[in-house]
Amino acid sequence: MNSAETRTLIRALDAALLRGQRAAVASVVRVRGSAYRREGTRMLILDDASQVCMLSGGCLEAEVVESALEVIESGAARVVHYDLSEDATWGLGLGCGGSVDVRIERVEDDAVTRGWLEALRQGEAAALCVPLTADGQDGGRVLLRGDTVTGTLSDPALQAFALEAARARLHTRDPRAATLSAPDGQELFIDLSVPAPELLIYGAGHDAQPLSAQAVALGYRVVVVDPRRAYLTPERFPGAVLLPLAPDELQAELRLNSRTQAIIMNHHLDRDRVCLWHALNSEAAFIGMLGPRSRYTDLLDALAQEGHLPTPAQTARVHSPVGLALGAEAPEEVALSILGELMAWRRGASSTPLNGHEGPIHQTYVARSG
């Protein structure tokens, strides 16, 4: 579930609790075959049967709401199995060809829930670990938030496995929720809260505007840096952090971390050269250069003449030209091309057309560090 959806859900939940409404959260904990969404997708259901966010393309929601209302009344969490290949069940002729398991839990006022919701509100790295017991028994919950552990599982061995697995998943490039099997066969759902990915745009020109707007819509924390203050206005870049920094201020004033994906698009050779060197000497995991490959090699030559020789490890993070080969021309199309590559890179996807693909649409993602 992306950060934009999470913010929507949390805002709705906070408003409902302020009104005194009871609520439940339904989470996809397992997907087999093809399904619309993946593990970790959440939906909020209120006691008046209203809902926020979706678990599917529309085939599950009504059934999930009915089950959630029962959970809100009883307080007993449950896991419900939905087979999307059984058209007769839904009468909608959807034929998705897969199945999903959905865990539904009433929102309570306890330490684990408070900590989990606060992590989601703040966009902090955290993992909520919940056993999926076959008999419906409460196996406890444990929350890993930074170095703090809140709550316990009834099985100490399972808790040790949960915390180790949670830490490992939080340190992958694109942390994703999942249901795992412990060594003894017990199943454990690990839900994740992760900081929003950061997109740093060097340059506030006309073509940077749709890139920023589309990235904000996708849940990125967008930062735009440019020395021209007149270009850095909320009207041009709604939702973005705006930094009016001159090239010689970057090293001292702007630090990039391993979640940062940087795009250099100043359309100015001198600024691009300085920004490229700044990005290469940062922890940014992805550095995209707008324009032809020859422009990038010219910038490397210019850096070499200044005595700046990047290492192979540094240049391996550079994507030039940045973007997928979509035939993009207009700024909005170029933005789509760039963000498409960023999504494929984050999730380890091939970015090839799905046409003719057999089997589940969503590929299996391999956990990677970095």
Side-chain angles (χ1 to χ4, degrees), residues 214-260:
Q214 292 179 29
V216 168
L218 290 175
Y220 278 86
R221 177 182 183 267
V222 178
V223 178
V224 184
V225 58
D226 195 292
R228 302 167 295 182
R229 292 178 178 272
Y231 284 66
L232 294 175
T233 66
E235 292 75 24
R236 298 185 79 237
F237 295 99
V241 177
L242 308 176
L243 299 179
L245 297 177
D248 60 3
E249 297 177 303
L250 293 177
Q251 206 64 40
E253 300 295 333
L254 183 58
R255 297 191 64 180
L256 313 185
N257 59 50
S258 59
R259 297 193 315 275
T260 303

mmCIF file of all heavy atoms in Angstrom, residues 214-260:
data_model
loop_
_atom_site.group_PDB
_atom_site.id
_atom_site.type_symbol
_atom_site.label_atom_id
_atom_site.label_comp_id
_atom_site.label_asym_id
_atom_site.label_seq_id
_atom_site.Cartn_x
_atom_site.Cartn_y
_atom_site.Cartn_z
ATOM 1 N N GLN A 214 3.227 14.287 -10.521
ATOM 2 C CA GLN A 214 2.935 12.862 -10.611
ATOM 3 C C GLN A 214 3.591 12.092 -9.473
ATOM 4 O O GLN A 214 3.016 11.141 -8.940
ATOM 5 C CB GLN A 214 3.393 12.323 -11.968
ATOM 6 C CG GLN A 214 2.583 12.844 -13.148
ATOM 7 C CD GLN A 214 3.091 12.298 -14.477
ATOM 8 O OE1 GLN A 214 3.625 11.209 -14.558
ATOM 9 N NE2 GLN A 214 2.919 13.083 -15.539
ATOM 10 N N ALA A 215 4.786 12.504 -9.083
ATOM 11 C CA ALA A 215 5.460 11.824 -7.983
ATOM 12 C C ALA A 215 4.731 12.052 -6.660
ATOM 13 O O ALA A 215 4.597 11.124 -5.854
ATOM 14 C CB ALA A 215 6.906 12.301 -7.884
ATOM 15 N N VAL A 216 4.259 13.271 -6.427
ATOM 16 C CA VAL A 216 3.478 13.543 -5.216
ATOM 17 C C VAL A 216 2.235 12.656 -5.181
ATOM 18 O O VAL A 216 1.890 12.076 -4.141
ATOM 19 C CB VAL A 216 3.090 15.038 -5.148
ATOM 20 C CG1 VAL A 216 2.032 15.273 -4.062
ATOM 21 C CG2 VAL A 216 4.322 15.901 -4.878
ATOM 22 N N ALA A 217 1.571 12.516 -6.324
ATOM 23 C CA ALA A 217 0.373 11.677 -6.392
ATOM 24 C C ALA A 217 0.690 10.212 -6.099
ATOM 25 O O ALA A 217 -0.159 9.474 -5.589
ATOM 26 C CB ALA A 217 -0.276 11.809 -7.770
ATOM 27 N N LEU A 218 1.902 9.781 -6.408
ATOM 28 C CA LEU A 218 2.307 8.398 -6.163
ATOM 29 C C LEU A 218 2.842 8.181 -4.752
ATOM 30 O O LEU A 218 3.246 7.070 -4.406
ATOM 31 C CB LEU A 218 3.370 7.980 -7.179
ATOM 32 C CG LEU A 218 2.886 7.800 -8.620
ATOM 33 C CD1 LEU A 218 4.063 7.514 -9.548
ATOM 34 C CD2 LEU A 218 1.848 6.685 -8.710
ATOM 35 N N GLY A 219 2.859 9.226 -3.941
ATOM 36 C CA GLY A 219 3.266 9.073 -2.554
ATOM 37 C C GLY A 219 4.702 9.420 -2.259
ATOM 38 O O GLY A 219 5.181 9.196 -1.139
ATOM 39 N N TYR A 220 5.420 9.959 -3.222
ATOM 40 C CA TYR A 220 6.795 10.376 -2.974
ATOM 41 C C TYR A 220 6.841 11.633 -2.100
ATOM 42 O O TYR A 220 5.943 12.476 -2.160
ATOM 43 C CB TYR A 220 7.508 10.713 -4.283
ATOM 44 C CG TYR A 220 8.069 9.534 -5.037
ATOM 45 C CD1 TYR A 220 7.277 8.821 -5.927
ATOM 46 C CD2 TYR A 220 9.397 9.154 -4.887
ATOM 47 C CE1 TYR A 220 7.796 7.741 -6.645
ATOM 48 C CE2 TYR A 220 9.923 8.097 -5.592
ATOM 49 C CZ TYR A 220 9.119 7.384 -6.465
ATOM 50 O OH TYR A 220 9.635 6.332 -7.173
ATOM 51 N N ARG A 221 7.906 11.749 -1.341
ATOM 52 C CA ARG A 221 8.277 13.035 -0.754
ATOM 53 C C ARG A 221 9.172 13.707 -1.791
ATOM 54 O O ARG A 221 10.273 13.238 -2.073
ATOM 55 C CB ARG A 221 9.021 12.858 0.560
ATOM 56 C CG ARG A 221 9.486 14.182 1.178
ATOM 57 C CD ARG A 221 10.263 13.944 2.465
ATOM 58 N NE ARG A 221 10.636 15.215 3.092
ATOM 59 C CZ ARG A 221 11.791 15.842 2.879
ATOM 60 N NH1 ARG A 221 12.692 15.314 2.062
ATOM 61 N NH2 ARG A 221 12.048 16.990 3.478
ATOM 62 N N VAL A 222 8.697 14.778 -2.370
ATOM 63 C CA VAL A 222 9.399 15.421 -3.481
ATOM 64 C C VAL A 222 10.132 16.659 -2.977
ATOM 65 O O VAL A 222 9.564 17.484 -2.255
ATOM 66 C CB VAL A 222 8.423 15.808 -4.610
ATOM 67 C CG1 VAL A 222 9.165 16.538 -5.743
ATOM 68 C CG2 VAL A 222 7.731 14.563 -5.156
ATOM 69 N N VAL A 223 11.397 16.776 -3.351
ATOM 70 C CA VAL A 223 12.208 17.949 -3.044
ATOM 71 C C VAL A 223 12.709 18.519 -4.364
ATOM 72 O O VAL A 223 13.260 17.786 -5.193
ATOM 73 C CB VAL A 223 13.412 17.585 -2.149
ATOM 74 C CG1 VAL A 223 14.265 18.822 -1.884
ATOM 75 C CG2 VAL A 223 12.934 16.959 -0.845
ATOM 76 N N VAL A 224 12.481 19.795 -4.573
ATOM 77 C CA VAL A 224 12.944 20.470 -5.789
ATOM 78 C C VAL A 224 13.980 21.507 -5.382
ATOM 79 O O VAL A 224 13.716 22.353 -4.517
ATOM 80 C CB VAL A 224 11.784 21.149 -6.546
ATOM 81 C CG1 VAL A 224 12.288 21.764 -7.855
ATOM 82 C CG2 VAL A 224 10.660 20.149 -6.828
ATOM 83 N N VAL A 225 15.154 21.444 -6.005
ATOM 84 C CA VAL A 225 16.222 22.388 -5.677
ATOM 85 C C VAL A 225 16.622 23.157 -6.929
ATOM 86 O O VAL A 225 16.798 22.577 -8.003
ATOM 87 C CB VAL A 225 17.440 21.657 -5.057
ATOM 88 C CG1 VAL A 225 17.989 20.597 -5.993
ATOM 89 C CG2 VAL A 225 18.524 22.642 -4.682
ATOM 90 N N ASP A 226 16.730 24.476 -6.775
ATOM 91 C CA ASP A 226 17.070 25.346 -7.900
ATOM 92 C C ASP A 226 17.503 26.689 -7.321
ATOM 93 O O ASP A 226 16.914 27.147 -6.329
ATOM 94 C CB ASP A 226 15.849 25.526 -8.816
ATOM 95 C CG ASP A 226 16.214 26.108 -10.175
ATOM 96 O OD1 ASP A 226 16.624 27.292 -10.236
ATOM 97 O OD2 ASP A 226 16.091 25.397 -11.188
ATOM 98 N N PRO A 227 18.510 27.337 -7.890
ATOM 99 C CA PRO A 227 18.923 28.636 -7.354
ATOM 100 C C PRO A 227 17.968 29.773 -7.681
ATOM 101 O O PRO A 227 18.043 30.844 -7.076
ATOM 102 C CB PRO A 227 20.290 28.865 -8.006
ATOM 103 C CG PRO A 227 20.239 28.094 -9.276
ATOM 104 C CD PRO A 227 19.403 26.888 -8.972
ATOM 105 N N ARG A 228 17.039 29.538 -8.614
ATOM 106 C CA ARG A 228 16.131 30.602 -9.069
ATOM 107 C C ARG A 228 14.864 30.604 -8.217
ATOM 108 O O ARG A 228 13.941 29.815 -8.433
ATOM 109 C CB ARG A 228 15.793 30.405 -10.550
ATOM 110 C CG ARG A 228 17.030 30.388 -11.447
ATOM 111 C CD ARG A 228 16.701 29.870 -12.838
ATOM 112 N NE ARG A 228 16.286 28.469 -12.823
ATOM 113 C CZ ARG A 228 15.982 27.765 -13.912
ATOM 114 N NH1 ARG A 228 16.053 28.340 -15.102
ATOM 115 N NH2 ARG A 228 15.617 26.500 -13.817
ATOM 116 N N ARG A 229 14.816 31.506 -7.247
ATOM 117 C CA ARG A 229 13.689 31.540 -6.318
ATOM 118 C C ARG A 229 12.353 31.765 -7.019
ATOM 119 O O ARG A 229 11.316 31.260 -6.567
ATOM 120 C CB ARG A 229 13.907 32.633 -5.271
ATOM 121 C CG ARG A 229 15.043 32.345 -4.305
ATOM 122 C CD ARG A 229 15.249 33.479 -3.311
ATOM 123 N NE ARG A 229 16.304 33.175 -2.353
ATOM 124 C CZ ARG A 229 16.117 32.535 -1.207
ATOM 125 N NH1 ARG A 229 14.878 32.164 -0.872
ATOM 126 N NH2 ARG A 229 17.118 32.287 -0.393
ATOM 127 N N ALA A 230 12.352 32.523 -8.095
ATOM 128 C CA ALA A 230 11.098 32.818 -8.791
ATOM 129 C C ALA A 230 10.455 31.554 -9.347
ATOM 130 O O ALA A 230 9.241 31.511 -9.555
ATOM 131 C CB ALA A 230 11.347 33.829 -9.909
ATOM 132 N N TYR A 231 11.263 30.521 -9.598
ATOM 133 C CA TYR A 231 10.732 29.266 -10.136
ATOM 134 C C TYR A 231 10.174 28.365 -9.040
ATOM 135 O O TYR A 231 9.381 27.458 -9.321
ATOM 136 C CB TYR A 231 11.833 28.512 -10.890
ATOM 137 C CG TYR A 231 12.151 29.067 -12.251
ATOM 138 C CD1 TYR A 231 12.724 30.319 -12.401
ATOM 139 C CD2 TYR A 231 11.870 28.339 -13.403
ATOM 140 C CE1 TYR A 231 13.023 30.840 -13.652
ATOM 141 C CE2 TYR A 231 12.161 28.839 -14.663
ATOM 142 C CZ TYR A 231 12.747 30.094 -14.772
ATOM 143 O OH TYR A 231 13.038 30.602 -16.021
ATOM 144 N N LEU A 232 10.635 28.589 -7.821
ATOM 145 C CA LEU A 232 10.260 27.709 -6.711
ATOM 146 C C LEU A 232 9.066 28.275 -5.963
ATOM 147 O O LEU A 232 9.199 28.917 -4.919
ATOM 148 C CB LEU A 232 11.447 27.541 -5.762
ATOM 149 C CG LEU A 232 12.659 26.800 -6.322
ATOM 150 C CD1 LEU A 232 13.798 26.819 -5.327
ATOM 151 C CD2 LEU A 232 12.303 25.364 -6.689
ATOM 152 N N THR A 233 7.883 28.030 -6.487
ATOM 153 C CA THR A 233 6.656 28.508 -5.850
ATOM 154 C C THR A 233 5.712 27.339 -5.620
ATOM 155 O O THR A 233 5.700 26.371 -6.393
ATOM 156 C CB THR A 233 5.955 29.556 -6.723
ATOM 157 O OG1 THR A 233 5.494 28.929 -7.938
ATOM 158 C CG2 THR A 233 6.897 30.709 -7.063
ATOM 159 N N PRO A 234 4.898 27.400 -4.563
ATOM 160 C CA PRO A 234 3.925 26.334 -4.311
ATOM 161 C C PRO A 234 2.942 26.158 -5.459
ATOM 162 O O PRO A 234 2.415 25.062 -5.660
ATOM 163 C CB PRO A 234 3.221 26.805 -3.031
ATOM 164 C CG PRO A 234 4.190 27.724 -2.375
ATOM 165 C CD PRO A 234 4.904 28.412 -3.496
ATOM 166 N N GLU A 235 2.684 27.229 -6.195
ATOM 167 C CA GLU A 235 1.761 27.126 -7.331
ATOM 168 C C GLU A 235 2.356 26.242 -8.429
ATOM 169 O O GLU A 235 1.632 25.495 -9.093
ATOM 170 C CB GLU A 235 1.449 28.514 -7.887
ATOM 171 C CG GLU A 235 0.641 29.412 -6.968
ATOM 172 C CD GLU A 235 1.461 29.964 -5.819
ATOM 173 O OE1 GLU A 235 2.710 30.046 -5.953
ATOM 174 O OE2 GLU A 235 0.847 30.312 -4.775
ATOM 175 N N ARG A 236 3.653 26.334 -8.623
ATOM 176 C CA ARG A 236 4.293 25.529 -9.653
ATOM 177 C C ARG A 236 4.576 24.102 -9.166
ATOM 178 O O ARG A 236 4.562 23.164 -9.958
ATOM 179 C CB ARG A 236 5.606 26.180 -10.115
ATOM 180 C CG ARG A 236 5.424 27.552 -10.738
ATOM 181 C CD ARG A 236 6.727 28.100 -11.293
ATOM 182 N NE ARG A 236 7.040 27.507 -12.603
ATOM 183 C CZ ARG A 236 8.148 26.847 -12.885
ATOM 184 N NH1 ARG A 236 9.072 26.685 -11.955
ATOM 185 N NH2 ARG A 236 8.352 26.349 -14.089
ATOM 186 N N PHE A 237 4.821 23.962 -7.872
ATOM 187 C CA PHE A 237 5.186 22.651 -7.332
ATOM 188 C C PHE A 237 4.380 22.349 -6.066
ATOM 189 O O PHE A 237 4.922 22.302 -4.960
ATOM 190 C CB PHE A 237 6.685 22.605 -7.023
ATOM 191 C CG PHE A 237 7.562 22.726 -8.233
ATOM 192 C CD1 PHE A 237 8.135 23.941 -8.577
ATOM 193 C CD2 PHE A 237 7.796 21.624 -9.050
ATOM 194 C CE1 PHE A 237 8.934 24.059 -9.697
ATOM 195 C CE2 PHE A 237 8.594 21.730 -10.182
ATOM 196 C CZ PHE A 237 9.161 22.943 -10.512
ATOM 197 N N PRO A 238 3.072 22.155 -6.198
ATOM 198 C CA PRO A 238 2.257 21.866 -5.021
ATOM 199 C C PRO A 238 2.672 20.555 -4.361
ATOM 200 O O PRO A 238 2.917 19.552 -5.026
ATOM 201 C CB PRO A 238 0.833 21.784 -5.590
ATOM 202 C CG PRO A 238 1.011 21.508 -7.048
ATOM 203 C CD PRO A 238 2.269 22.185 -7.444
ATOM 204 N N GLY A 239 2.758 20.609 -3.042
ATOM 205 C CA GLY A 239 3.084 19.407 -2.281
ATOM 206 C C GLY A 239 4.553 19.086 -2.180
ATOM 207 O O GLY A 239 4.930 18.116 -1.510
ATOM 208 N N ALA A 240 5.419 19.877 -2.825
ATOM 209 C CA ALA A 240 6.849 19.596 -2.816
ATOM 210 C C ALA A 240 7.573 20.491 -1.822
ATOM 211 O O ALA A 240 7.115 21.593 -1.494
ATOM 212 C CB ALA A 240 7.442 19.782 -4.211
ATOM 213 N N VAL A 241 8.729 20.021 -1.357
ATOM 214 C CA VAL A 241 9.628 20.832 -0.551
ATOM 215 C C VAL A 241 10.520 21.615 -1.509
ATOM 216 O O VAL A 241 11.117 21.035 -2.421
ATOM 217 C CB VAL A 241 10.488 19.956 0.383
ATOM 218 C CG1 VAL A 241 11.473 20.808 1.164
ATOM 219 C CG2 VAL A 241 9.595 19.148 1.318
ATOM 220 N N LEU A 242 10.626 22.916 -1.323
ATOM 221 C CA LEU A 242 11.331 23.777 -2.271
ATOM 222 C C LEU A 242 12.585 24.348 -1.621
ATOM 223 O O LEU A 242 12.509 24.994 -0.572
ATOM 224 C CB LEU A 242 10.409 24.900 -2.743
ATOM 225 C CG LEU A 242 9.041 24.445 -3.282
ATOM 226 C CD1 LEU A 242 8.183 25.645 -3.638
ATOM 227 C CD2 LEU A 242 9.215 23.528 -4.478
ATOM 228 N N LEU A 243 13.740 24.120 -2.260
ATOM 229 C CA LEU A 243 15.022 24.550 -1.705
ATOM 230 C C LEU A 243 15.749 25.469 -2.690
ATOM 231 O O LEU A 243 16.261 25.001 -3.715
ATOM 232 C CB LEU A 243 15.905 23.341 -1.386
ATOM 233 C CG LEU A 243 15.369 22.346 -0.354
ATOM 234 C CD1 LEU A 243 16.358 21.198 -0.185
ATOM 235 C CD2 LEU A 243 15.093 23.023 0.973
ATOM 236 N N PRO A 244 15.814 26.765 -2.398
ATOM 237 C CA PRO A 244 16.515 27.699 -3.293
ATOM 238 C C PRO A 244 18.016 27.710 -2.998
ATOM 239 O O PRO A 244 18.537 28.621 -2.341
ATOM 240 C CB PRO A 244 15.860 29.046 -2.961
ATOM 241 C CG PRO A 244 15.462 28.905 -1.520
ATOM 242 C CD PRO A 244 15.118 27.459 -1.301
ATOM 243 N N LEU A 245 18.716 26.701 -3.484
ATOM 244 C CA LEU A 245 20.141 26.571 -3.203
ATOM 245 C C LEU A 245 20.969 26.786 -4.463
ATOM 246 O O LEU A 245 20.658 26.227 -5.515
ATOM 247 C CB LEU A 245 20.444 25.179 -2.637
ATOM 248 C CG LEU A 245 19.807 24.813 -1.296
ATOM 249 C CD1 LEU A 245 20.154 23.388 -0.925
ATOM 250 C CD2 LEU A 245 20.245 25.786 -0.208
ATOM 251 N N ALA A 246 22.033 27.569 -4.325
ATOM 252 C CA ALA A 246 22.984 27.729 -5.416
ATOM 253 C C ALA A 246 23.860 26.487 -5.494
ATOM 254 O O ALA A 246 24.002 25.747 -4.506
ATOM 255 C CB ALA A 246 23.846 28.969 -5.177
ATOM 256 N N PRO A 247 24.454 26.220 -6.665
ATOM 257 C CA PRO A 247 25.290 25.019 -6.798
ATOM 258 C C PRO A 247 26.364 24.901 -5.726
ATOM 259 O O PRO A 247 26.618 23.802 -5.216
ATOM 260 C CB PRO A 247 25.893 25.174 -8.197
ATOM 261 C CG PRO A 247 24.861 25.950 -8.955
ATOM 262 C CD PRO A 247 24.305 26.919 -7.955
ATOM 263 N N ASP A 248 26.997 26.013 -5.354
ATOM 264 C CA ASP A 248 28.065 25.933 -4.367
ATOM 265 C C ASP A 248 27.553 25.744 -2.940
ATOM 266 O O ASP A 248 28.346 25.608 -2.004
ATOM 267 C CB ASP A 248 28.973 27.169 -4.446
ATOM 268 C CG ASP A 248 28.221 28.472 -4.187
ATOM 269 O OD1 ASP A 248 27.001 28.427 -3.890
ATOM 270 O OD2 ASP A 248 28.844 29.548 -4.296
ATOM 271 N N GLU A 249 26.237 25.720 -2.761
ATOM 272 C CA GLU A 249 25.660 25.492 -1.433
ATOM 273 C C GLU A 249 25.215 24.040 -1.240
ATOM 274 O O GLU A 249 24.883 23.636 -0.119
ATOM 275 C CB GLU A 249 24.451 26.405 -1.211
ATOM 276 C CG GLU A 249 24.763 27.887 -1.213
ATOM 277 C CD GLU A 249 23.509 28.721 -1.072
ATOM 278 O OE1 GLU A 249 22.593 28.578 -1.914
ATOM 279 O OE2 GLU A 249 23.446 29.532 -0.123
ATOM 280 N N LEU A 250 25.179 23.269 -2.307
ATOM 281 C CA LEU A 250 24.614 21.925 -2.226
ATOM 282 C C LEU A 250 25.357 21.050 -1.229
ATOM 283 O O LEU A 250 24.734 20.363 -0.409
ATOM 284 C CB LEU A 250 24.629 21.260 -3.607
ATOM 285 C CG LEU A 250 23.708 21.874 -4.669
ATOM 286 C CD1 LEU A 250 23.892 21.145 -5.998
ATOM 287 C CD2 LEU A 250 22.250 21.807 -4.222
ATOM 288 N N GLN A 251 26.680 21.042 -1.304
ATOM 289 C CA GLN A 251 27.453 20.127 -0.477
ATOM 290 C C GLN A 251 27.214 20.370 1.005
ATOM 291 O O GLN A 251 27.129 19.430 1.796
ATOM 292 C CB GLN A 251 28.935 20.261 -0.810
ATOM 293 C CG GLN A 251 29.763 19.014 -0.528
ATOM 294 C CD GLN A 251 29.353 17.832 -1.394
ATOM 295 O OE1 GLN A 251 29.070 17.988 -2.576
ATOM 296 N NE2 GLN A 251 29.302 16.648 -0.792
ATOM 297 N N ALA A 252 27.099 21.617 1.398
ATOM 298 C CA ALA A 252 26.934 21.938 2.813
ATOM 299 C C ALA A 252 25.484 21.868 3.272
ATOM 300 O O ALA A 252 25.217 21.566 4.441
ATOM 301 C CB ALA A 252 27.506 23.332 3.098
ATOM 302 N N GLU A 253 24.549 22.138 2.382
ATOM 303 C CA GLU A 253 23.152 22.317 2.794
ATOM 304 C C GLU A 253 22.226 21.143 2.474
ATOM 305 O O GLU A 253 21.123 21.069 3.004
ATOM 306 C CB GLU A 253 22.584 23.576 2.130
ATOM 307 C CG GLU A 253 23.325 24.854 2.480
ATOM 308 C CD GLU A 253 23.200 25.214 3.944
ATOM 309 O OE1 GLU A 253 22.191 24.815 4.564
ATOM 310 O OE2 GLU A 253 24.102 25.885 4.475
ATOM 311 N N LEU A 254 22.636 20.228 1.600
ATOM 312 C CA LEU A 254 21.703 19.197 1.133
ATOM 313 C C LEU A 254 22.350 17.826 1.214
ATOM 314 O O LEU A 254 23.294 17.519 0.477
ATOM 315 C CB LEU A 254 21.281 19.492 -0.305
ATOM 316 C CG LEU A 254 20.241 18.549 -0.928
ATOM 317 C CD1 LEU A 254 18.960 18.526 -0.096
ATOM 318 C CD2 LEU A 254 19.944 18.967 -2.360
ATOM 319 N N ARG A 255 21.827 16.992 2.113
ATOM 320 C CA ARG A 255 22.323 15.619 2.260
ATOM 321 C C ARG A 255 21.274 14.648 1.753
ATOM 322 O O ARG A 255 20.089 14.748 2.091
ATOM 323 C CB ARG A 255 22.662 15.322 3.720
ATOM 324 C CG ARG A 255 23.778 16.176 4.287
ATOM 325 C CD ARG A 255 24.245 15.651 5.625
ATOM 326 N NE ARG A 255 24.828 14.319 5.502
ATOM 327 C CZ ARG A 255 25.310 13.636 6.544
ATOM 328 N NH1 ARG A 255 25.237 14.141 7.764
ATOM 329 N NH2 ARG A 255 25.838 12.444 6.372
ATOM 330 N N LEU A 256 21.720 13.678 0.969
ATOM 331 C CA LEU A 256 20.824 12.672 0.403
ATOM 332 C C LEU A 256 21.065 11.348 1.104
ATOM 333 O O LEU A 256 22.211 10.995 1.405
ATOM 334 C CB LEU A 256 21.076 12.512 -1.100
ATOM 335 C CG LEU A 256 21.190 13.805 -1.919
ATOM 336 C CD1 LEU A 256 21.306 13.472 -3.404
ATOM 337 C CD2 LEU A 256 20.011 14.725 -1.664
ATOM 338 N N ASN A 257 19.974 10.603 1.351
ATOM 339 C CA ASN A 257 20.119 9.312 2.014
ATOM 340 C C ASN A 257 19.834 8.176 1.034
ATOM 341 O O ASN A 257 19.566 8.403 -0.143
ATOM 342 C CB ASN A 257 19.210 9.231 3.244
ATOM 343 C CG ASN A 257 17.748 9.414 2.890
ATOM 344 O OD1 ASN A 257 17.226 8.777 1.980
ATOM 345 N ND2 ASN A 257 17.066 10.305 3.617
ATOM 346 N N SER A 258 19.875 6.963 1.529
ATOM 347 C CA SER A 258 19.750 5.796 0.657
ATOM 348 C C SER A 258 18.348 5.622 0.086
ATOM 349 O O SER A 258 18.146 4.802 -0.807
ATOM 350 C CB SER A 258 20.161 4.533 1.413
ATOM 351 O OG SER A 258 19.342 4.342 2.563
ATOM 352 N N ARG A 259 17.361 6.370 0.597
ATOM 353 C CA ARG A 259 16.012 6.303 0.028
ATOM 354 C C ARG A 259 15.824 7.324 -1.095
ATOM 355 O O ARG A 259 14.790 7.332 -1.758
ATOM 356 C CB ARG A 259 14.950 6.573 1.105
ATOM 357 C CG ARG A 259 14.904 5.560 2.224
ATOM 358 C CD ARG A 259 13.624 5.730 3.041
ATOM 359 N NE ARG A 259 13.337 7.121 3.349
ATOM 360 C CZ ARG A 259 13.836 7.782 4.373
ATOM 361 N NH1 ARG A 259 14.682 7.189 5.195
ATOM 362 N NH2 ARG A 259 13.512 9.045 4.603
ATOM 363 N N THR A 260 16.810 8.192 -1.295
ATOM 364 C CA THR A 260 16.666 9.271 -2.266
ATOM 365 C C THR A 260 16.893 8.767 -3.677
ATOM 366 O O THR A 260 17.849 8.043 -3.960
ATOM 367 C CB THR A 260 17.663 10.403 -1.980
ATOM 368 O OG1 THR A 260 17.473 10.872 -0.640
ATOM 369 C CG2 THR A 260 17.459 11.557 -2.950
#
